[in-house]
Amino acid sequence: MSERDEGARVVGPRGLPEVASGLSEVAELAAQPGRDDELIVGALEALGDSIPYEVAAFFELEDGMLRVRAARGPSASMAVTRHRIPLDAHPALKRAFDSGGTEVLVTARGGDGEPDPFEGVVDLPPRHPCLIVPVLAGTERIGVLTFATAGKTYTREVTDLATVYGALIGLGLAAQARARRLEQLRDRLTEQNRLLVEEVAADTDACRALEMSESKVMRRLVRMAKQVAVTDAPVLVTGETGTGKEVMARAIHGWSTRADQAFVTVNCAALPETLIESELFGHRKGAFSGAVSDRPGRFRLADGGTLLLDEIGELPPETQVKLLRVLEEQTFEPVGSDKSVTVNVRIIAATNVDLEDAIDAGTFREDLFYRLHVFPIDLPPLRERMEDVPLLARHVLDRIERRAGRARWTVSEKSLKRMARYKWPGNVRELVNTLERARVFAPTGGELNIEVGLELDPSGRRARRPRKWPTLKEHEREYLERVLEKTGGKIYGPDGAAALLDVPPTTLQSRLQRLGVARSRGS
C-alpha cells in the first residue's frame, strides 16, 4: 500500500457495529449462488457505511478492458455504468492486480500523478484520493473495487477494511462461478445421458429395421453383418446415396459386444480439410489459431466403442496417411502434441464412391482401401428390394409417431401399390422424406395421401428411372478414345497423343492397356 498527499484530511472507518453489519451482509450474499450482482452492489452499499465516497465502482476485467459492472454514490451516473477503460492505460490498477494489495493513490488530470479511472464521467477535483482494491480468486484476476472522494485521503484502517471486503467479494464471485460451472456440468451430463438413451434407442431401432426385412439379399447381408459384428474387424459399407449405410453401421454396433459403449460418427465430406485432422484426432490448446482449449477428437470419444467414418472417399490424402497408422496401431498424436494416444476403437467406413476408381484417379490410397476392405457390405438400392417398402413405411411411421407423440398414421393399399410402382431414386432416404411430407397434410393422424408425397405428375405417369452416372474409369476411357481418334491412333511423336496430353508415351501406353483402349492405327 502507498499513501500520498498526507496533508489532506483523512477518512477513517465508522463505528464497529456498521462494519460488522456490512461484513455480515456481504458474507451472506457471497454464500448464495446466482446472486453476483447483488453481492457486488451489496458490498458497495455496505462499504458506504464505513468508507465515505463520492463514487464507488466495481470494474470487471474482460479481455484487457475494465468494464464498470456496478456503481454507487452521489456522483454515480448512467455514464459511469457504461464506462470502460483499458487496463494497460492505468499503472496503479495493474500494480494492484500484480501485487494483490490495496493501494491509495492521488489522481491528477493533465498533470503529475496517476490517471483518474473516472476521468470524463465524474466531476471531481483535479487532484483527489482514489482507493484501489483488487478482487482476486486465487491468482485469477476478477476485477477491482475503486472508491473516489473529494479532497480527502484514506487511513490504513480504511484500506485494511476495504481489502477484507475485496477478498470476500473475490471468494463469493469465485464460489458462485464454480456453482454455475457445476450447474452447467450437471445440465451437460443430463443432456449427454438423454443423447445416450437416444443413441441406444437408435441402435435398437436400426437392428429391428434390418431384421424385419423380407428381401432375400437383405436377409443374407444381415446374417453377414451379425457374424462380423462380434469381431473387431473393420467393415466397409457401400451403396448408393440413401440406402441406409448409417443404419447398417448402427446395427453392427448394436449387435456387437461394444453396444453399451459410444457410437460416434464423423462425416468426412462435411468438414474442411483444415479441420478434419483436428476433428478426428483432437488438438492441444494453442496448436493453431482458434485452438483456445484442448479437444479430444472423435477417436478418443469413441474409445471402447465404434467410430463410423462416413463418406470416407472424401478424406483428404494427407489425413489418409495418418488414418492408416491409426488403423494399424490404434495410436496417434493430437494436433500440436508430441505425445501418442492409444485407443481401442472399432472402425466402420461408409461411402457411395467407387473407391477402386478413386485409387485409379489417385485420390484414395490403395493401402488404406485394403485396410478398410476387410469385410465389405454392399447395400442394394431400394428398387431391388421393393418387397420391403410396406414394412419400411410402417417402421418409419412408427418412429415418426414416437417422436411426434400423435395419433397413428396409415398407408392405404392403393398408396402402397403406387409406392410399389415407383423406383425410388433416392432410396430409403427418399421414402422417409416422402412419408414426412405426406404426414404434414394429415397432422392429426389417419390415412396418408402418398400421391402428394411422391409428387407424381397429374397424369399419374411413373417417375423416370434414376440417371446412371458413368464411373471415373468410363470417363477416362471415353476421353482417351477421343484423343486417339484425333491423332489417328498415333501415340509417339510431336503430333501423337502423348505429346497432346503432355505425358510420357510409355505411361500413356500402359494406361491404355489397363483401360482396355485399342488403337485403330498409328504407332
Side-chain angles (χ1 to χ4, degrees), residues 29 32-45 58 60 67-72 169 173 176 180:
L29 289 169
Q32 299 179 35
R35 302 182 68 178
D36 294 21
D37 292 329
E38 292 179 57
L39 169 61
I40 295 166
V41 171
L44 293 177
E45 291 178 346
F58 174 71
E60 187 173 45
R67 174 185 66 88
V68 173
R69 183 164 173 178
R72 286 294 184 271
I169 294 173
L173 292 177
Q176 295 188 9
R180 282 195 301 273

Side-chain angles (χ1 to χ4, degrees), residues 397 400 406 409 433-445 448-449 452-453:
L397 290 177
I400 293 173
R406 297 187 181 179
W409 285 282
N433 293 342
T434 294
L435 294 169
E436 287 276 12
R437 287 196 301 269
R439 64 109 175 180
V440 171
F441 295 91
T444 59
L448 296 178
N449 185 351
V452 174

Side-chain angles (χ1 to χ4, degrees), residues 34 37 82 134 137 151 242 264 302 319-320 341-342 427 500:
D37 292 329
R82 295 175 179 172
V264 179
T319 312
Q320 292 179 30
V341 175
T342 301
N427 294 300
L500 184 64

Side-chain angles (χ1 to χ4, degrees), residues 144-190:
V144 290
L145 289 169
T146 58
F147 305 88
T149 184
K152 304 171 186 178
T153 191
Y154 294 105
T155 65
R156 181 178 297 276
E157 290 81 1
V158 168
T159 60
D160 289 346
L161 178 62
T163 301
V164 173
Y165 272 90
L168 272 176
I169 294 173
L171 290 171
L173 292 177
Q176 295 188 9
R178 286 194 296 271
R180 282 195 301 273
R181 286 194 292 270
L182 287 172
E183 183 73 14
Q184 291 168 356
L185 180 60
R186 190 195 70 180
D187 293 343
R188 190 180 305 120
L189 289 173
T190 301

Side-chain angles (χ1 to χ4, degrees), residues 11 17 72 81 96 122 132 135 149 157-159 168 172 194 200 209 296 309 319 332 379 395 412 443 448 456 463 492:
V11 177
R72 286 294 184 271
T81 60
V122 177
I132 307 296
V135 177
T149 184
E157 290 81 1
V158 168
T159 60
L168 272 176
R194 184 187 67 80
V200 172
L309 299 171
T319 312
F332 60 90
L379 295 178
H395 179 75
S412 69
L448 296 178
L456 300 177
Y492 293 85

